[in-house]
Structure formats: C-alpha cells, structure tokens
Amino acid sequence: MKIVRRIGVPPSARGSASGANCPDVFELSDGNFAVIGTEATESLEHELPADASRADYERIVVVSRETLIRAKADIPDA
C-alpha cells in the first residue's frame, strides 16, 4: 500500500506557517484513504451513537473542518 496523492490542499495553503504537523488526507493505492489528525479516541468514544463502534485496532481521529472541506472537491464520487 502506498500514498497515491493528497486529497485537498497542502497545510501551507490552509494557513500553516511551517506546512508541517497539520491534519491531512491522502488517497492510497488500494483506494482507501489515510488521515493525519489528532487522536481523540478516549475523549470521543463514549460519544459514539449506539449503532457505531470501533475495533481495538481503530482510533477516532479529529480532522479540522477546513481540512475536510478543502478536500471535498478531490474526493471521488464512486
């Protein structure tokens, strides 16, 4: 599995002074997506709706609204 492309704009285009250590979204060679965000499993797990759960190997990650909105145009419809 490899990163194929960034989804959205780089952190520097979203106002990051250094362009590093910021939320980001990437499309992977297998068609899945990888997300860099703030780990928030412990603080948000109890907020999940009754029909949602996570496996032991999964984490809840927070990505800024701007990151996801700026990625929207690059997310394929299918």
Side-chain angles (χ1 to χ4, degrees), residues 11-48:
S12 59
R14 296 190 312 266
S16 172
S18 68
N21 299 328
C22 292
D24 226 330
V25 182
F26 300 94
E27 186 172 0
L28 303 176
S29 58
D30 66 359
N32 287 317
F33 297 90
V35 176
I36 297 173
T38 303
E39 206 285 327
T41 304
E42 189 175 318
S43 62
L44 290 177
E45 188 164 34
H46 69 281
E47 297 288 333
L48 290 173

